Amino acid sequence: MWYLCVFYHRLLEYRKPEFESLAGLFGAFDGTTTGLLEWKLPEDHHPDSPFHFVNIPSEEIARNIASRSILVKGIYELWGDGQSFEELEEAVKSYPDERKLPYLSRDSTFKINVESFGKVISFEEQNNRLQKLAFVPFKGRVNLKKPDHNFFLMDNDDYGSENGLPPIVHRRIFFGREIGTADRKILQTYQLKSRKYLGPTAMDAEMAFLMANQAQVRTGKLVYDPFVGTGSILIAAAHFGAMTMGADIDIRVVRDGRGPDCNVWSNFKQYGLPMPLSLLRADNNLPPWRSGLKEMFDAIICDPPYGVRAGGRKSGGRKLLKGVVAPYTVPDDKRTGHIPSTAPYSLVECVHDLLDLAARMLVTGGRLVYFYPVLRDNESVDPNFPEHPCFKLVASCEQILSYRYSRVLLTMIKIAPYTEDIAEAARIKHLEFKENHLKWLEDGNLRSAVFEPADIHINGSSDAKFGTKPKYRGKYV
Amino acid sequence: MRLLTHNMLSSNIKGVTNGFPLLIEVEKVVEKQVDFNEDFLRNMFPKIEWKALVEASRTMGYTELPENAESSMLDSDEFLRKFHHALIELHLEEGALVCPETGRKFPVNKGIPNMLLHEDEV
């Protein structure tokens, strides 16, 4: 059945992929394998509009999607829409009675929400609009606190340009019954500013929950984050009931934190979430898994260090990997408490290791969800995302971070088993990385591209680019 | 460190061919209650090296696990409870994991094993 889905006007590219991941989680695709839903736009609506029609097999699935989602404001059974109240009345009247009457009965309570996308409407205007709904034969009583049925009256009227919202061709009014809405209160509960233990790159709550939704996290699943840091991603996974495991090369992060009650464990305690099954100090470049171990995790979710805000590290000193010095032999009496040296870990190598780990350690059908940085200086060229024979890329959602670069959330599904051939190819690649250590570091030098000063004075056109605010900002929201 | 983690780890020192299972040196064991989830246990069972789990749980002072196990035993609630307890409720708070081949100790502090290698082990 077709429903009206209204999104929050945020993170535009993340909206449909989140919806479809949750649809998969709640069984909308049983029997099919596409993982894609049918979508339609209301007449003359911009693709970035918050209003979309979507085909979902059942009301129950729709309700589950809405209440779990972060970006769905609500899913509604549309009773009618039109460019004016006259058109709306006609549409609602011709909507079949057997779909309407059960929700209008005498013994039920109801509430009507009146909203307008892109602007605030006064209480008086809300009342005016409610009066115009007199043609709907409501028999029940109004209950604003706990109604049996919620209805909504929403429109997108002309709100002028220059406000960063998608352009509107003409007004459209929607009326219908609410099926479910998102619970964005969890974002307040988990907001970073009230979290005890934070690092410089802690993932904000909204994004962490979106990542957990992309990964289809649910009760009893095992989720792993190889760059766990302060645990911000695993906290979202644990909130949805997953068992969690995390690793990090930096012991300050995983163990000491900032004292006995300010560390990764305490972050889970703060929210009353189950503790991670395992935290471990390990190097993603030389993972300590036993041979033969595979297909342990249902999802791997992470924000790899790509060297802009936090740089990756791996085992082995810089000079050691360059071949300038022989490995330092640790004297026997100093082995306990010895802090081994680490070297920079380039993005290409890091992503290679991540894909190899995921190919081996994910169950078939398991999901790898991670951020990948892209430079924005060449907008016409589609960036090449990492590929792997075991994986299919199902979603790539861009979030613009600065004028120079974005990060793209990639969602990949494991579709083929990890074979000996693939393992061997990965081993050879690993050795190649070791040999060309410096070359890969140069190649992966994203940081200098991001922070290099702009030539505003030499290139006259840049002034214009910075000077005027674009009329419609699209993905910036 | 839970025994699930112990069951996954091995010593990956360069040149070591038989780094699994790591021996456990116990200083302090605590029990941490985890919600029982049957599906999770059923999923994990085929991936677990049973002998290593039995040995490890004995080192940690839990002797209830049977010497051998097969998937038909998953139908017994009693077995599942024991498996659950040994796999994810026993927790090594302080101690060490010891490489069976070289004797190198990987310390476990505040429940977190440090598997990072020294320069001459990479």
Side-chain angles (χ1 to χ4, degrees):
Chain A
M1 183 172 160
W2 285 90
Y3 292 89
L4 175 69
C5 169
V6 183
F7 288 113
Y8 285 102
H9 195 68
R10 299 181 50 69
L11 299 165
L12 304 179
E13 284 194 357
Y14 292 71
R15 303 179 304 177
K16 285 185 185 175
E18 188 206 25
F19 198 102
E20 284 170 342
S21 294
L22 294 178
L25 177 63
F26 294 116
F29 304 118
D30 288 353
T32 63
T33 53
T34 62
L36 297 172
L37 294 167
E38 276 180 277
W39 296 87
K40 273 196 304 210
L41 270 175
E43 195 184 325
D44 290 332
H45 273 226
H46 189 277
D48 289 343
S49 158
F51 300 94
H52 292 264
F53 295 117
V54 59
N55 194 358
I56 313 169
S58 79
E59 187 169 315
E60 193 198 342
I61 293 176
R63 187 173 302 114
N64 286 337
I65 294 172
S67 50
R68 166 79 185 255
S69 131
I70 299 298
L71 295 176
V72 173
K73 188 177 162 74
I75 299 179
Y76 309 93
E77 179 191 348
L78 188 72
W79 286 13
D81 62 335
Q83 288 183 28
S84 62
F85 272 94
E86 290 72 38
E87 271 187 41
L88 178 70
E89 178 169 350
E90 209 172 299
V92 173
K93 278 184 172 160
S94 60
Y95 193 69
D97 274 348
E98 67 268 22
R99 295 244 24 121
K100 290 186 293 193
L101 294 181
Y103 305 99
L104 300 173
S105 65
R106 202 169 294 280
D107 55 351
S108 66
T109 56
F110 71 96
K111 176 187 176 183
I112 305 172
N113 298 297
V114 184
E115 275 177 55
S116 185
F117 172 69
K119 63 179 173 194
V120 178
I121 41 177
S122 66
F123 188 65
E124 212 182 335
E125 173 62 16
Q126 288 188 33
N127 259 328
N128 273 338
R129 293 187 182 186
L130 277 180
Q131 301 302 329
K132 293 185 186 163
L133 284 179
F135 62 86
V136 184
F138 288 108
K139 296 276 192 313
R141 283 188 311 129
V142 170
N143 181 337
L144 296 183
K145 287 217 174 99
K146 252 192 131 182
D148 298 332
H149 308 300
N150 270 298
F151 295 88
F152 78 99
L153 179 68
M154 218 181 291
D155 73 342
N156 62 338
D157 205 352
D158 186 22
Y159 36 59
S161 50
E162 302 290 339
N163 59 0
L165 296 177
I168 278 178
V169 180
H170 46 71
R171 182 184 191 192
R172 187 143 212 109
I173 314 169
F174 302 91
F175 176 75
R177 179 175 66 90
E178 180 184 299
I179 306 294
T181 57
D183 173 21
R184 280 179 70 95
K185 280 205 281 301
I186 56 168
L187 299 185
Q188 258 176 18
T189 311
Y190 289 95
Q191 62 181 338
L192 289 185
K193 66 178 178 187
S194 53
R195 191 169 302 170
K196 260 200 196 141
Y197 180 47
L198 290 175
T201 57
M203 185 61 63
D204 72 272
E206 181 177 36
M207 197 51 89
F209 283 113
L210 276 175
M211 292 168 92
N213 280 345
Q214 283 301 120
Q216 299 185 330
V217 168
R218 74 188 313 169
T219 306
K221 298 284 180 195
L222 186 58
V223 176
Y224 179 62
D225 178 356
F227 310 102
V228 68
T230 57
S232 48
I233 293 174
L234 291 186
I235 282 173
H239 173 81
F240 291 133
M243 311 261 191
T244 56
M245 287 180 100
D248 208 297
I249 193 168
D250 188 346
I251 197 67
R252 286 172 308 173
V253 188
V254 284
R255 192 183 72 197
D256 298 350
R258 289 187 220 284
D261 276 316
C262 185
N263 50 41
V264 182
W265 302 116
S266 80
N267 274 350
F268 283 78
K269 202 157 85 188
Q270 180 182 349
Y271 301 114
L273 294 172
M275 295 289 162
L277 282 188
S278 160
L279 289 177
L280 141 109
R281 187 189 186 193
D283 180 356
N284 193 51
N285 189 236
L286 292 164
W289 310 123
R290 69 170 151 89
S291 63
L293 184 74
K294 57 177 186 176
E295 309 204 346
M296 287 298 290
F297 306 125
D298 297 288
I300 294 176
I301 316 176
C302 61
D303 183 21
Y306 34 73
V308 179
R309 287 192 297 170
R313 307 295 291 181
K314 63 175 179 176
S315 294
R318 215 176 30 194
K319 285 183 183 160
L320 171 67
L321 289 169
K322 244 196 220 168
V324 178
V325 294
Y328 166 65
T329 312
V330 190
D332 282 344
D333 56 325
K334 298 217 169 85
R335 287 203 164 255
T336 330
H338 172 69
I339 299 171
S341 44
T342 56
Y345 190 20
S346 77
L347 178 68
V348 264
E349 187 175 8
C350 176
V351 169
H352 164 83
D353 291 344
L354 177 63
L355 283 171
D356 187 55
L357 167 91
R360 175 179 163 191
M361 295 294 269
L362 279 178
V363 298
T364 303
R367 289 185 165 213
L368 168 64
V369 177
Y370 69 105
F371 271 114
Y372 188 76
V374 285
L375 283 174
R376 300 183 57 223
D377 52 357
N378 205 346
E379 287 198 45
S380 56
V381 182
D382 251 352
N384 291 315
F385 297 126
E387 290 175 3
H388 192 280
C390 292
F391 284 97
K392 183 175 121 184
L393 180 70
V394 292
S396 58
C397 317
E398 183 181 10
Q399 182 188 26
I400 296 170
L401 294 178
S402 81
Y403 181 65
R404 296 288 180 70
Y405 84 116
S406 307
R407 58 181 183 181
V408 181
L409 185 65
L410 300 179
T411 305
M412 300 172 97
I413 300 185
K414 185 174 168 190
I415 48 163
Y418 189 67
T419 61
E420 272 173 31
D421 287 351
I422 294 172
E424 180 59 16
R427 199 186 62 84
I428 290 168
K429 191 84 184 159
H430 183 85
L431 294 177
E432 190 192 323
F433 279 127
K434 226 168 163 179
E435 250 162 52
N436 297 306
H437 179 67
L438 289 180
K439 172 173 161 261
W440 292 116
L441 277 184
E442 290 297 315
D443 280 352
N445 215 342
L446 184 70
R447 193 179 189 282
S448 60
V450 170
F451 291 113
E452 181 189 319
D455 321 329
I456 297 178
H457 299 293
I458 302 163
N459 185 350
S461 67
S462 312
D463 270 330
K465 267 189 197 164
F466 283 115
T468 57
K469 194 172 133 192
K471 275 188 182 156
Y472 172 55
R473 290 179 301 141
K475 283 198 274 192
Y476 273 101
V477 294
Chain B
M1 184 211 63
R2 327 272 168 144
L3 294 187
L4 168 64
T5 315
H6 170 262
N7 212 276
M8 295 167 68
L9 294 179
S10 77
S11 154
N12 61 343
I13 298 170
K14 192 177 178 182
V16 166
T17 48
N18 240 331
F20 180 84
L22 294 155
L23 309 169
I24 300 178
E25 263 186 25
V26 180
E27 269 175 52
K28 185 180 169 198
V29 175
V30 288
E31 289 184 12
K32 297 201 173 184
Q33 215 194 327
V34 180
D35 286 346
F36 181 80
N37 186 308
E38 193 178 326
D39 290 338
F40 176 77
L41 294 173
R42 285 179 180 277
N43 283 338
M44 281 301 136
F45 182 77
K47 298 163 191 167
I48 294 298
E49 284 287 332
W50 190 258
K51 281 245 170 320
L53 179 66
V54 175
E55 295 276 316
S57 65
R58 287 187 184 160
T59 317
M60 305 264 279
Y62 184 72
T63 52
E64 302 284 302
L65 285 187
E67 201 71 44
N68 295 297
E70 49 185 84
S71 54
S72 62
M73 293 162 86
L74 291 170
D75 295 330
S76 145
D77 195 53
E78 196 198 340
F79 173 78
L80 281 176
R81 297 274 163 189
K82 288 176 181 169
F83 179 38
H84 170 79
H85 184 72
L87 190 70
I88 51 181
E89 289 193 326
L90 291 177
H91 182 82
L92 183 69
E93 183 76 9
E94 298 290 333
L97 299 173
V98 185
C99 170
E101 210 169 295
T102 62
R104 149 82 141 100
K105 284 186 188 175
F106 296 94
V108 178
N109 297 122
K110 296 180 189 160
I112 300 175
N114 181 354
M115 301 305 294
L116 213 58
L117 299 177
H118 295 326
E119 288 89 335
D120 48 358
E121 299 167 335
V122 175

Coordinates of all heavy atoms in Angstrom, one line a residue, chain B residues 53-100:
Chain B
L53 N 37.3 -23.3 25.0 CA 36.4 -22.7 25.9 C 36.3 -23.5 27.3 O 36.3 -22.9 28.3 CB 35.0 -22.6 25.3 CG 33.9 -22.0 26.2 CD1 34.2 -20.5 26.4 CD2 32.5 -22.1 25.5
V54 N 36.3 -24.8 27.2 CA 36.2 -25.6 28.4 C 37.5 -25.4 29.2 O 37.4 -25.1 30.4 CB 36.1 -27.1 28.0 CG1 36.2 -28.0 29.3 CG2 34.8 -27.4 27.3
E55 N 38.6 -25.4 28.6 CA 39.9 -25.2 29.3 C 39.9 -23.8 30.0 O 40.2 -23.7 31.2 CB 41.1 -25.3 28.3 CG 41.3 -26.6 27.7 CD 42.1 -27.5 28.6 OE1 43.1 -27.0 29.1 OE2 41.8 -28.7 28.8
A56 N 39.5 -22.8 29.2 CA 39.6 -21.5 29.7 C 38.6 -21.3 30.9 O 39.0 -20.7 31.9 CB 39.2 -20.5 28.6
S57 N 37.4 -21.9 30.8 CA 36.4 -21.7 31.8 C 36.9 -22.4 33.1 O 36.7 -21.9 34.2 CB 35.1 -22.2 31.4 OG 35.1 -23.6 31.2
R58 N 37.6 -23.5 33.0 CA 38.2 -24.2 34.2 C 39.3 -23.3 34.8 O 39.3 -23.2 36.0 CB 38.8 -25.5 33.8 CG 37.6 -26.5 33.5 CD 38.0 -27.9 33.3 NE 36.8 -28.7 32.9 CZ 36.8 -29.8 32.3 NH1 38.0 -30.4 32.0 NH2 35.7 -30.4 32.1
T59 N 40.1 -22.7 34.0 CA 41.1 -21.8 34.5 C 40.5 -20.7 35.3 O 41.1 -20.2 36.3 CB 42.0 -21.2 33.4 OG1 42.3 -22.2 32.4 CG2 43.3 -20.6 33.9
M60 N 39.3 -20.3 34.9 CA 38.6 -19.1 35.5 C 37.8 -19.7 36.7 O 37.1 -18.9 37.3 CB 37.7 -18.4 34.5 CG 38.4 -17.9 33.3 SD 39.0 -16.2 33.4 CE 37.4 -15.4 33.0
G61 N 37.9 -21.0 37.0 CA 37.2 -21.5 38.1 C 35.7 -22.0 37.9 O 35.0 -22.1 38.8
Y62 N 35.4 -22.2 36.6 CA 34.0 -22.6 36.3 C 34.1 -24.0 35.7 O 34.7 -24.2 34.6 CB 33.3 -21.6 35.4 CG 31.9 -22.0 35.1 CD1 30.9 -21.8 36.0 CD2 31.5 -22.5 33.8 CE1 29.6 -22.1 35.7 CE2 30.2 -22.8 33.5 CZ 29.2 -22.6 34.5 OH 27.9 -22.9 34.2
T63 N 33.5 -25.0 36.3 CA 33.8 -26.4 35.9 C 32.6 -27.1 35.4 O 32.5 -28.3 35.2 CB 34.4 -27.2 37.1 OG1 33.5 -27.1 38.2 CG2 35.7 -26.8 37.5
E64 N 31.5 -26.3 35.1 CA 30.2 -27.0 34.7 C 30.1 -27.4 33.2 O 29.2 -28.1 32.9 CB 29.1 -26.0 35.0 CG 29.0 -25.5 36.4 CD 28.4 -26.6 37.3 OE1 27.3 -27.1 37.1 OE2 29.1 -27.1 38.3
L65 N 31.0 -26.9 32.4 CA 30.9 -27.2 31.0 C 31.3 -28.7 30.7 O 32.3 -29.1 31.2 CB 31.7 -26.3 30.1 CG 31.3 -24.9 29.9 CD1 32.2 -24.2 28.9 CD2 29.9 -24.8 29.4
P66 N 30.5 -29.4 29.9 CA 30.9 -30.7 29.5 C 32.1 -30.8 28.6 O 32.4 -29.8 27.9 CB 29.6 -31.3 28.7 CG 29.0 -30.0 28.2 CD 29.2 -29.0 29.2
E67 N 32.9 -31.9 28.7 CA 34.1 -32.0 27.9 C 33.9 -31.8 26.4 O 34.6 -31.2 25.7 CB 34.6 -33.4 28.2 CG 36.1 -33.6 27.9 CD 37.0 -32.9 28.9 OE1 36.7 -33.0 30.2 OE2 37.9 -32.2 28.5
N68 N 32.8 -32.5 25.9 CA 32.5 -32.4 24.5 C 31.1 -31.8 24.4 O 30.2 -32.0 25.2 CB 32.5 -33.7 23.9 CG 33.9 -34.3 23.9 OD1 34.8 -33.7 23.3 ND2 34.1 -35.4 24.6
A69 N 30.8 -31.2 23.2 CA 29.5 -30.6 23.0 C 29.2 -30.8 21.5 O 30.1 -30.7 20.6 CB 29.5 -29.1 23.4
E70 N 27.9 -31.0 21.2 CA 27.5 -31.0 19.8 C 26.2 -30.2 19.7 O 25.5 -29.9 20.7 CB 27.3 -32.4 19.3 CG 26.5 -33.2 20.3 CD 26.4 -34.7 19.8 OE1 27.4 -35.4 20.1 OE2 25.4 -35.0 19.2
S71 N 25.8 -29.9 18.5 CA 24.7 -28.9 18.3 C 23.4 -29.4 18.9 O 22.5 -28.6 19.2 CB 24.6 -28.5 16.9 OG 24.4 -29.6 16.1
S72 N 23.2 -30.7 19.0 CA 21.9 -31.2 19.5 C 21.7 -30.8 21.0 O 20.6 -30.7 21.5 CB 21.8 -32.7 19.4 OG 22.9 -33.3 20.2
M73 N 22.8 -30.5 21.7 CA 22.7 -30.1 23.1 C 22.1 -28.7 23.3 O 21.7 -28.3 24.4 CB 24.1 -30.2 23.7 CG 24.6 -31.6 23.8 SD 26.4 -31.6 24.1 CE 26.5 -31.5 25.9
L74 N 22.1 -28.0 22.2 CA 21.5 -26.6 22.2 C 20.0 -26.6 22.6 O 19.4 -25.6 22.9 CB 21.7 -25.9 20.9 CG 23.2 -25.5 20.6 CD1 23.3 -25.0 19.2 CD2 23.7 -24.4 21.6
D75 N 19.4 -27.8 22.5 CA 18.0 -27.9 22.8 C 17.7 -27.9 24.3 O 16.6 -27.8 24.8 CB 17.3 -29.1 22.1 CG 17.3 -29.0 20.6 OD1 17.3 -27.8 20.2 OD2 17.4 -30.0 19.9
S76 N 18.8 -28.2 25.0 CA 18.7 -28.2 26.5 C 18.9 -26.9 27.1 O 19.9 -26.2 26.9 CB 19.7 -29.2 27.1 OG 20.2 -28.8 28.3
D77 N 17.9 -26.4 27.8 CA 18.0 -25.1 28.4 C 19.1 -25.0 29.4 O 19.8 -24.0 29.5 CB 16.6 -24.8 29.1 CG 16.5 -23.3 29.4 OD1 16.7 -22.5 28.5 OD2 16.3 -22.9 30.6
E78 N 19.3 -26.1 30.2 CA 20.4 -26.2 31.2 C 21.7 -25.9 30.5 O 22.6 -25.2 31.0 CB 20.3 -27.5 31.9 CG 21.1 -27.5 33.2 CD 21.4 -29.0 33.6 OE1 20.7 -29.9 33.2 OE2 22.3 -29.1 34.4
F79 N 21.9 -26.6 29.4 CA 23.2 -26.5 28.6 C 23.4 -25.1 28.2 O 24.4 -24.5 28.3 CB 23.2 -27.5 27.5 CG 24.4 -27.3 26.6 CD1 25.7 -27.7 26.9 CD2 24.3 -26.5 25.4 CE1 26.8 -27.5 26.1 CE2 25.4 -26.3 24.6 CZ 26.7 -26.8 25.0
L80 N 22.3 -24.5 27.6 CA 22.4 -23.1 27.1 C 22.8 -22.1 28.2 O 23.6 -21.3 28.0 CB 21.0 -22.7 26.5 CG 20.7 -23.2 25.1 CD1 19.3 -22.8 24.7 CD2 21.8 -22.7 24.1
R81 N 22.2 -22.3 29.4 CA 22.5 -21.4 30.5 C 24.0 -21.5 30.9 O 24.7 -20.5 31.1 CB 21.7 -21.8 31.7 CG 20.2 -21.6 31.5 CD 19.8 -20.2 31.8 NE 18.4 -19.9 31.2 CZ 17.9 -18.7 31.2 NH1 18.5 -17.7 31.6 NH2 16.7 -18.6 30.6
K82 N 24.5 -22.7 30.9 CA 25.9 -22.9 31.2 C 26.8 -22.3 30.1 O 27.8 -21.6 30.4 CB 26.3 -24.4 31.4 CG 25.7 -25.0 32.6 CD 25.9 -26.5 32.7 CE 25.3 -27.1 33.9 NZ 25.3 -28.6 33.8
F83 N 26.5 -22.6 28.9 CA 27.2 -22.0 27.8 C 27.2 -20.5 27.8 O 28.3 -19.9 27.7 CB 26.6 -22.5 26.5 CG 27.2 -22.1 25.2 CD1 28.6 -22.0 25.1 CD2 26.4 -21.8 24.1 CE1 29.2 -21.6 23.9 CE2 27.0 -21.4 22.9 CZ 28.4 -21.2 22.8
H84 N 26.0 -19.9 28.1 CA 25.9 -18.5 28.2 C 26.8 -17.9 29.3 O 27.6 -17.0 29.1 CB 24.4 -18.2 28.5 CG 24.2 -16.7 28.9 ND1 24.0 -15.7 28.0 CD2 24.0 -16.2 30.1 CE1 23.8 -14.6 28.6 NE2 23.8 -14.8 29.9
H85 N 26.8 -18.6 30.4 CA 27.6 -18.1 31.6 C 29.1 -18.2 31.2 O 29.8 -17.2 31.5 CB 27.3 -19.0 32.8 CG 28.0 -18.5 34.0 ND1 27.6 -17.3 34.7 CD2 29.0 -19.0 34.7 CE1 28.4 -17.1 35.7 NE2 29.3 -18.1 35.7
A86 N 29.5 -19.3 30.7 CA 31.0 -19.4 30.4 C 31.4 -18.5 29.3 O 32.5 -17.9 29.4 CB 31.3 -20.9 30.0
L87 N 30.6 -18.3 28.3 CA 31.0 -17.6 27.1 C 31.0 -16.1 27.4 O 32.0 -15.4 27.0 CB 30.0 -17.9 26.0 CG 30.4 -17.4 24.6 CD1 31.6 -18.2 24.1 CD2 29.3 -17.5 23.6
I88 N 30.0 -15.5 28.0 CA 29.9 -14.0 28.1 C 29.7 -13.5 29.5 O 29.6 -12.3 29.6 CB 28.9 -13.5 27.1 CG1 27.5 -14.1 27.2 CG2 29.4 -13.5 25.7 CD1 26.5 -13.6 26.2
E89 N 29.6 -14.3 30.5 CA 29.5 -13.7 31.8 C 30.7 -13.8 32.7 O 30.9 -12.9 33.5 CB 28.3 -14.4 32.6 CG 27.0 -14.0 32.0 CD 25.7 -14.3 32.8 OE1 25.8 -15.4 33.5 OE2 24.8 -13.6 32.8
L90 N 31.6 -14.8 32.4 CA 32.8 -14.8 33.1 C 33.7 -13.7 32.5 O 33.8 -13.6 31.3 CB 33.5 -16.2 33.0 CG 32.9 -17.3 33.7 CD1 33.6 -18.6 33.3 CD2 32.9 -17.1 35.2
H91 N 34.4 -13.0 33.3 CA 35.1 -11.8 32.8 C 36.5 -11.7 33.6 O 36.5 -11.6 34.8 CB 34.2 -10.6 33.1 CG 34.8 -9.3 32.6 ND1 34.7 -8.9 31.3 CD2 35.5 -8.3 33.2 CE1 35.3 -7.7 31.2 NE2 35.7 -7.3 32.3
L92 N 37.5 -11.8 32.8 CA 38.9 -11.6 33.4 C 39.1 -10.1 33.5 O 39.4 -9.4 32.6 CB 39.9 -12.3 32.5 CG 41.3 -12.3 33.1 CD1 41.5 -13.2 34.3 CD2 42.3 -12.7 32.0
E93 N 39.1 -9.7 34.8 CA 39.3 -8.3 35.0 C 40.8 -7.9 35.0 O 41.3 -7.0 34.4 CB 38.7 -7.9 36.4 CG 38.8 -6.4 36.7 CD 37.8 -5.5 36.0 OE1 36.9 -6.1 35.3 OE2 37.9 -4.3 36.1
E94 N 41.6 -8.7 35.7 CA 43.1 -8.5 35.8 C 43.8 -9.8 35.5 O 43.3 -10.9 36.1 CB 43.5 -7.9 37.1 CG 42.9 -6.6 37.5 CD 43.5 -5.4 36.6 OE1 44.6 -5.5 36.1 OE2 42.7 -4.5 36.4
G95 N 44.8 -9.8 34.8 CA 45.6 -11.0 34.5 C 46.4 -10.9 33.3 O 46.8 -9.8 32.9
A96 N 46.6 -12.0 32.6 CA 47.4 -12.0 31.4 C 47.0 -13.1 30.5 O 46.5 -14.2 30.9 CB 48.8 -12.0 31.6
L97 N 47.2 -13.0 29.2 CA 47.1 -14.0 28.2 C 48.5 -14.4 27.8 O 49.3 -13.5 27.6 CB 46.3 -13.6 27.0 CG 44.8 -13.1 27.3 CD1 44.2 -12.5 26.0 CD2 44.0 -14.3 27.8
V98 N 48.8 -15.7 27.8 CA 50.2 -16.1 27.5 C 50.2 -16.9 26.2 O 49.5 -17.9 26.0 CB 50.7 -17.0 28.7 CG1 52.1 -17.3 28.5 CG2 50.5 -16.3 30.0
C99 N 51.2 -16.5 25.3 CA 51.4 -17.2 24.1 C 51.9 -18.6 24.3 O 52.9 -18.8 25.0 CB 52.4 -16.4 23.2 SG 52.9 -17.3 21.8
P100 N 51.2 -19.6 23.8 CA 51.5 -21.0 24.1 C 52.9 -21.4 23.5 O 53.5 -22.3 24.0 CB 50.4 -21.8 23.5 CG 49.8 -20.9 22.4 CD 50.0 -19.5 22.9

